[in-house]
Amino acid sequence: MTVRMSLLGLSGGLMLAALGMTFLYAPTDAVLGISQRIFYVHVPLALVGFLAFAVVAVCSIGYLWKGSERMDNVAYAAAEIGVLFTSLMLITGMLWAKPAWGVWWSLSPQLTTSLILWFLYVAYLMLRAYAPPGETAARYAAVLGIIGFIDVPIVYMAARWWRDLHPNKVLGPLAEESALEPSMQITFLVSILAFTALFAWLLAERTELRRQETQLERMRYTYGQA
Amino acid sequence: MARHKAILIAALLLALPALGAEGEEYLPFLFAAFAVTWVAFFAYAFFITRKQADLKQEIETLRAMQGEDDDA
């Protein structure tokens, strides 16, 4: 069994566990009601999106330092998957905001900085799509991938630095111990593991696809020259 | 792929009674959040695996063409 197949199996199993726990094990929130269950998909999507952009930044530094094509392929794949996760985070956030706050969107600092993050990495993908293939485009994209990551800690800290509608943090350095009750905490952690495994599988598959794309590009060029 | 979708739908249907009547008016939001997420992931995974298969075939065709040219 290949690593990619193992990752698919792991993410599938964890996702089923996370879904089961979200709907059958975690209690209904006393204040927000059943809409609070969106939390088990919305927050893991946000956190794994941050992880994806961290991978972009690390691999971009690696590419600029060593010039390794593999690093560039992983950065490209992680950026695409990060944009997917962040898009879904914004959509599920809006679907939770309407019942919780009565509005689809608000210009709160955390929402605004999250939207900026999304735009930054959409710009990264547009740069990769429209710039002529080659080292120059990869280098510009790597710089954008590193600069874009500066917004990630800003998104996380936004609720502390400015007045924001978002509740207290449940994970990371700003997390409060009593933010979630134990059964909610376990469900939340299983959801994070499930989305992280899904990210790992998608990253492996997308990196392989990117490798095929560059190989084909090279073969077409060589065949055209011959 | 179809089996995964069926499992997801069955899980959601099984879970609905367990959710209780509290805040039932928000059920469409909950359903939409999970549905959008899963449809997007299945569509993306389908796109990647399909494109991988297409590119693999194209690479093999080009290799064969190059081999024929080398023989000639």
Side-chain angles (χ1 to χ4, degrees), chain A residues 15-16 19 23 34 37 80-81 85 92 95 98-99 104 205-206 212-213 215-216 219-220 223, chain B residues 7-8 12 15 19 22-23 26-27 29-30 33 37-38 44 51-52 55 58-59 63 65-66 69:
Chain A
M15 274 300 169
L16 283 178
L19 268 177
F23 290 105
I34 59 166
R37 287 175 208 270
E80 194 175 283
I81 300 164
F85 272 77
T92 53
L95 288 165
K98 183 65 178 166
W104 294 101
E205 293 290 348
R206 187 62 185 92
Q212 285 179 328
E213 283 168 350
Q215 185 187 356
L216 191 63
M219 285 177 82
R220 276 183 189 144
Y223 193 67
Chain B
I7 291 170
L8 176 66
L12 280 171
L19 295 171
E22 206 178 337
Y26 300 139
L27 202 58
F29 294 98
L30 181 65
T37 303
W38 286 107
Y44 186 66
K51 206 168 171 197
Q52 267 184 8
L55 289 191
E58 207 172 328
I59 287 168
R63 261 197 200 130
M65 283 166 72
Q66 278 175 342
D69 287 356

Side-chain angles (χ1 to χ4, degrees), chain A residues 138-219:
Chain A
R139 242 183 262 134
Y140 283 140
V143 172
L144 184 57
I146 296 163
I147 292 172
F149 186 71
I150 296 169
D151 193 32
V152 169
I154 298 174
V155 175
Y156 183 79
M157 297 297 288
R160 168 165 280 201
W161 288 343
W162 302 289
R163 283 167 66 88
D164 198 279
L165 288 164
H166 276 86
N168 295 331
K169 292 281 171 284
V170 289
L171 202 77
L174 296 184
E176 288 181 13
E177 267 184 36
S178 57
L180 283 178
E181 74 152 76
S183 56
M184 286 177 162
Q185 245 171 25
I186 295 167
T187 307
F188 176 57
L189 288 175
V190 172
S191 292
I192 289 180
L193 283 176
F195 279 99
T196 307
L198 179 65
F199 166 69
W201 174 64
L202 288 173
L203 184 66
E205 293 290 348
R206 187 62 185 92
T207 305
E208 170 60 17
L209 178 61
R210 180 70 187 159
R211 191 194 61 76
Q212 285 179 328
E213 283 168 350
T214 45
Q215 185 187 356
L216 191 63
E217 231 165 61
R218 216 165 281 144
M219 285 177 82

Side-chain angles (χ1 to χ4, degrees), chain B:
Chain B
M1 191 72 74
R3 207 175 64 184
H4 285 125
K5 274 183 195 164
I7 291 170
L8 176 66
I9 292 164
L12 280 171
L13 289 174
L14 277 173
L16 288 181
L19 295 171
E22 206 178 337
E24 218 173 50
E25 68 270 28
Y26 300 139
L27 202 58
F29 294 98
L30 181 65
F31 179 78
F34 278 83
V36 165
T37 303
W38 286 107
V39 167
F41 279 130
F42 275 112
Y44 186 66
F46 178 74
F47 159 78
I48 288 179
T49 44
R50 181 83 184 265
K51 206 168 171 197
Q52 267 184 8
D54 289 350
L55 289 191
K56 195 177 171 187
Q57 199 173 359
E58 207 172 328
I59 287 168
E60 274 164 18
T61 312
L62 262 178
R63 261 197 200 130
M65 283 166 72
Q66 278 175 342
E68 278 171 22
D69 287 356
D70 290 345
D71 291 344

